[in-house]
């Protein structure tokens, strides 16, 4: 079982690097085979189609995203700090030399109209992030409408950073989030 897990992880890691770095449609399964060192027959035994491999890569990316956001929020004493930690996490991610934008947005842009599985994986990832932000907003006692506003700032920062190639969008989004959060926390309850 351990070898199977190791093989699966090698395939996923190779596919993720290739898909994220070059684009899903630009990468063939032979390139995944070459990068992973796993025979094509074994790859297809683990992932019966390229689409299934893409969805598995997205699931792995989703887990990494959630772990990264959670780590960024650790040690922040209050919901406001945990909300702002999202943008700190983004800034660190944008500074990584391998950053190529949101893998879910990229995958949706490439395959969202032709692959219901990829489209749903991207949608669920975005819904999950919205739920996370909504939970922090509720902890802070702010109007629930703040959550989608903050999530949109994070999404916009990802897209802008991918295009601009800088970390500045994270700082700008954090500044805007600070204004929104502070205004929401000062607003009297209805």
């Amino acid at each position: 079982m351990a070898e199977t897990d190791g093989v699966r992880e090698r395939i996923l890691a190779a596919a993720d690097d290739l898909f994220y770095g070059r684009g899903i449609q630009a990468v063939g399964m032979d390139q995944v085979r070459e990068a992973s060192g796993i025979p094509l027959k074994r790859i297809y035994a683990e992932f019966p189609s390229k689409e299934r491999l893409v969805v598995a890569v997205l699931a792995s990316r989703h887990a990494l995203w959630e772990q990264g956001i959670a780590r960024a929020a650790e040690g922040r004493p209050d919901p406001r700090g945990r909300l702002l930690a999202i943008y700190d996490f983004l800034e660190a991610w944008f500074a990584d030399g391998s950053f190529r934008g949101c893998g879910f947005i990229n995958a949706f842009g490439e395959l969202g109209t032709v692959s219901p599985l990829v489209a749903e994986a991207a949608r669920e990832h975005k819904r999950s992030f919205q739920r996370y932000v909504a939970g922090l907003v509720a902890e802070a006692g702010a109007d629930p409408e703040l959550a989608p506003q903050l999530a949109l700032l994070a999404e916009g920062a990802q897209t802008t950073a991918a295009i601009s190639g800088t970390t500045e969008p994270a700082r700008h989004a954090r500044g805007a989030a600070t204004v929104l959060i502070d205004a929401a926390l000062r607003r009297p309850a209805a």
Side-chain angles (χ1 to χ4, degrees):
M1 187 64 125
E3 183 182 337
T4 300
D5 292 339
V7 166
R8 185 175 181 82
E9 292 310 311
R10 281 179 36 207
I11 296 165
L12 285 171
D16 184 42
D17 286 346
L18 291 167
F19 294 160
Y20 187 64
R22 298 182 190 171
I24 297 166
Q25 293 181 26
V27 173
M29 293 301 281
D30 281 331
Q31 291 168 298
V32 174
R33 175 193 49 77
E34 188 175 307
S36 68
I38 306 296
L40 205 52
K41 185 175 180 177
R42 182 65 188 272
I43 292 172
Y44 279 114
E46 293 288 333
F47 306 99
S49 67
K50 183 177 177 182
E51 181 183 44
R52 293 286 180 181
L53 177 57
V54 171
V55 170
V57 165
L58 291 175
S60 178
R61 275 199 166 263
H62 176 73
L64 289 174
W65 167 266
E66 288 191 331
Q67 292 164 10
I69 291 287
R71 271 195 308 275
E74 282 176 5
R76 304 290 174 106
D78 61 353
R80 180 185 182 277
R82 288 189 290 278
L83 283 164
L84 292 174
I86 292 166
Y87 305 95
D88 299 335
F89 169 77
L90 292 176
E91 186 172 6
W93 181 33
F94 299 166
D96 183 303
S98 67
F99 176 73
R100 301 284 180 271
C102 173
F104 291 87
I105 293 171
N106 298 346
F108 187 85
E110 281 194 70
L111 300 172
T113 60
V114 296
S115 172
L117 292 175
V118 170
E120 183 52 30
R123 287 183 183 115
E124 180 50 35
H125 173 73
K126 299 305 179 182
R127 286 190 297 261
S128 173
F129 179 57
Q130 292 250 347
R131 286 189 302 269
Y132 175 78
V133 176
L136 293 177
V137 165
E139 285 179 30
D143 185 321
E145 199 58 31
L146 179 62
Q149 295 167 353
L150 295 176
L152 281 172
L153 284 173
E155 297 294 345
Q158 291 175 63
T159 302
T160 304
I163 294 168
S164 70
T166 71
T167 61
E168 288 179 29
R171 288 191 298 280
H172 294 296
R174 191 184 199 283
T178 300
V179 170
L180 287 171
I181 294 165
D182 290 347
L185 294 178
R186 280 193 303 271
R187 192 175 306 147

